[in-house]
Amino acid sequence: MNHLSAVKHVIIVLSGKGGVGKSTIAVQIALGLHAAGKKVGLLDVDLCGPSIPKMFNLEGRDIHQCPEGWLPVYVDKEQRIGVMSIGFLLEDLNDAVVWRGPKKNAMIKQFLSDVYWQDLDYLIIDTPPGTSDEHITVMEALRAYNPDGAILVTTPQAVAVGDVRRELTFCHKTGIPVVGIVENMSGYVCPHCSECTNIFSKGGGRALAQQNNVPFLGSIPIDRHLTLSVDTGKNFLESNPGSPALTAIDHMVKKLMAIDKDLP
Amino acid sequence: MSQVPENAPQHCPGTDSEAAGKAEACAGCPNQAVCSTLTHEPDPAIAEIQKKLSRVKHKILVLSGKGGVGKSTFTAHLAHALAADENLQIGVLDVDICGPSLPRIMGTEGETVHQSGSGWSPVYVRDNLAMMSIGFLLGSLDDAVIWRGAKKSGMIKQFLRDVDWDKLDYLVIDTPPGTSDEHLSLVQYLSGAGIDGAIVVTTPQEVALCDVRKEISFCRKTSVPVIGIVENMGDFVCPKCHKTSTIFPPTSGGAIKMAENLGERFLGTLPLDPRIAKCCDEGKSFIDEIPDSPAVAAFKSIVEKIVDYCRDVVKNKEVETGEASMDVS
């Protein structure tokens, strides 16, 4: 039984740098695609720091087994967004998963082969920072399924862009197409005086995309409502209409869906 | 810590045990041959590292379960602050193999490491501040280090064993996010030389705290003392109207509450000042560049607490062993 062959599009969310918003973006993409009427799965392969359950307010939920394999945890009643994460397998939320590479690889392989996603339009895979075991294992396992490619998330400052450049090299070396680069945490609008401050500089993501000839999917401004939404597990897309971050996310999701159509 | 695999036969003595492969229960186990040929002596590198680092007074780890919270920024500036005292020798080691950012933050990007008879010479940021990072070994800034865990651990071993630090007062070690190969190897290889303690860096929001709790649980499992918790990216002060606002809301009470709940020490909060990020991008020390920032005062008070802690560690050791410190200075 091969569960991934029934999935139409696979998108991997990557970044060499940590804390740039990979999980936040992965969640927003999933919600955006869901809002566009797609059936979406979200797989969290960050084993040492799983954040996806928290962001969907699914902490403490359990995974159920069925004859076909593990059933993902569904966010909505209609079962149109399914989530799988190691967070569901931990007894205590504060437990550290202190595993070396081989054990992490085995877990990821199990996630990729045993989860019964059923017929998904999109499977989004959220990854930990870096270019190591988790990434190599995911790329090797996915090669057979012809994934759409990877979205690289960065923040604008040079320190982050430096790590994302390495991630681009990783994609080239492992033969995964780059769907595009997203710049997160672009500017912050002061709620008192409306002055926009570029806390983490500006334009680094766009420049990187241009230099390397990959599509730029847009920049998402810092929005405290977005951080608040992911912290409390609320649906940002539904609760904050009209925010500039929302518009940016909308654009990104539209671009994603359009790019996919052009792919062979 | 004896490891019993899940699918092991009943009464498995554990793969790390002396009896592994030789016990009665091992008969017929497919892993028997592997277990019985394993040596159970500790890695000789541990003793070599202990010898190499015997002239390093304090060893501090900078940890966080979460990425992008400012571990490297904190490491770099802790080193700068400590090195402000010209009588101290400071070393910084970057064990983030896949995403080394310290060379950029410390303004040493593009430097290379030289080999001498006594090992690798570190790169000097100033006279009394030396550093080592895999960034110095890469040909180009685009080079990705696509390594699995075992290879990363080998590199870390080399960094600890082969870098010619000479005499150091502080060695500050910056780590990647997570609780995996790099962290386990560090703790294992430093088990002989000893670690003074770990500083755990976090940001205020719950999504970050979740991962940081795991890191503290890691420290407890591996018996690394936690010096304290630092909260980075606290309130944002608008450079135009100087009013504060919260970007990363402490929905669960922030780091101070977490420290209280876990019984760990809270070292302080660093405000979010956009000029800090700019200084890091340019490889400058924000302590020197923007002395008027509220972040500088907060940072200095945190550094003081860390220095006090390290002094106490030495004192306690003297009391325990009944010996005076070997160091006459």
Side-chain angles (χ1 to χ4, degrees), chain B residues 93-98 132 156 159 173-176 182 186:
Chain B
L93 175 61
D94 183 4
V95 304
D96 190 343
I97 307 292
C98 292
M132 178 54 80
I156 292 171
F159 274 156
I173 304 178
D174 186 25
T175 63
E182 294 91 335
L186 255 186

Side-chain angles (χ1 to χ4, degrees), chain B residues 213-268:
Chain B
R213 282 191 203 101
K214 291 185 204 300
E215 198 73 33
I216 291 173
S217 136
F218 168 83
C219 289
R220 291 179 177 172
K221 277 187 189 175
T222 54
S223 318
V224 174
V226 176
I227 299 177
I229 296 164
V230 174
E231 185 176 67
N232 192 19
M233 307 193 197
D235 280 348
F236 170 73
V237 185
C238 174
K240 198 176 165 210
C241 68
H242 302 289
K243 283 187 186 153
T244 57
S245 56
T246 313
I247 293 177
F248 301 109
T251 46
S252 58
I256 191 161
K257 184 82 184 294
M258 180 187 73
E260 200 187 299
N261 289 345
L262 294 174
E264 299 292 351
R265 189 165 175 218
F266 181 67
L267 295 175

Side-chain angles (χ1 to χ4, degrees), chain B residues 23-37:
Chain B
E24 229 171 276
C26 298
C29 175
N31 206 33
Q32 187 185 14
V34 180
C35 278
S36 60
T37 50

Side-chain angles (χ1 to χ4, degrees), chain B residues 240-312:
Chain B
K240 198 176 165 210
C241 68
H242 302 289
K243 283 187 186 153
T244 57
S245 56
T246 313
I247 293 177
F248 301 109
T251 46
S252 58
I256 191 161
K257 184 82 184 294
M258 180 187 73
E260 200 187 299
N261 289 345
L262 294 174
E264 299 292 351
R265 189 165 175 218
F266 181 67
L267 295 175
T269 298
L270 297 170
L272 185 51
D273 187 328
R275 292 174 297 177
I276 297 179
K278 195 160 168 271
C279 286
C280 288
D281 270 2
E282 290 166 358
K284 292 173 184 159
S285 159
F286 78 80
I287 305 170
D288 300 336
E289 295 291 313
I290 47 167
D292 62 308
S293 166
V296 173
F299 193 82
K300 283 189 172 158
S301 113
I302 292 172
V303 173
E304 263 173 42
K305 288 177 191 163
I306 294 166
V307 170
D308 286 347
Y309 174 93
C310 290
R311 198 181 297 135
D312 288 346

Side-chain angles (χ1 to χ4, degrees), chain A residues 20-94:
Chain A
V20 295
K22 282 178 298 300
S23 303
T24 304
I25 302 271
V27 166
Q28 300 314 320
I29 290 174
L31 290 171
L33 289 168
H34 170 255
K38 307 287 182 192
K39 189 168 178 202
V40 191
L42 182 49
L43 172 61
D44 183 5
V45 300
D46 189 344
L47 304 180
C48 293
S51 326
I52 300 284
K54 172 99 217 153
M55 292 184 172
F56 274 121
N57 205 6
L58 294 173
E59 276 179 313
R61 295 277 286 273
D62 290 324
I63 291 169
H64 295 284
Q65 193 111 30
C66 70
E68 286 82 8
W70 285 344
L71 279 175
V73 173
Y74 287 100
V75 176
D76 54 337
K77 274 192 198 121
E78 294 79 34
Q79 306 206 332
R80 310 267 311 164
I81 308 183
V83 180
M84 181 55 74
S85 164
I86 196 166
F88 300 132
L89 301 170
L90 300 178
E91 277 180 24
D92 178 354
L93 290 176
N94 299 343

Side-chain angles (χ1 to χ4, degrees), chain A residues 71-142:
Chain A
L71 279 175
V73 173
Y74 287 100
V75 176
D76 54 337
K77 274 192 198 121
E78 294 79 34
Q79 306 206 332
R80 310 267 311 164
I81 308 183
V83 180
M84 181 55 74
S85 164
I86 196 166
F88 300 132
L89 301 170
L90 300 178
E91 277 180 24
D92 178 354
L93 290 176
N94 299 343
D95 263 358
V97 176
V98 188
W99 290 355
R100 289 193 182 267
K103 213 163 164 189
K104 292 195 285 190
N105 297 334
M107 185 80 237
I108 291 172
K109 279 186 189 150
Q110 208 170 355
F111 274 153
L112 290 169
S113 62
D114 292 0
V115 179
Y116 184 47
W117 295 106
Q118 303 178 59
D119 49 333
L120 286 185
D121 293 309
Y122 285 89
L123 176 65
I124 316 289
I125 301 180
D126 184 27
T127 61
T131 49
S132 192
D133 286 286
E134 293 91 334
H135 313 82
I136 303 172
T137 304
V138 168
M139 297 305 185
E140 278 175 356
L142 284 184

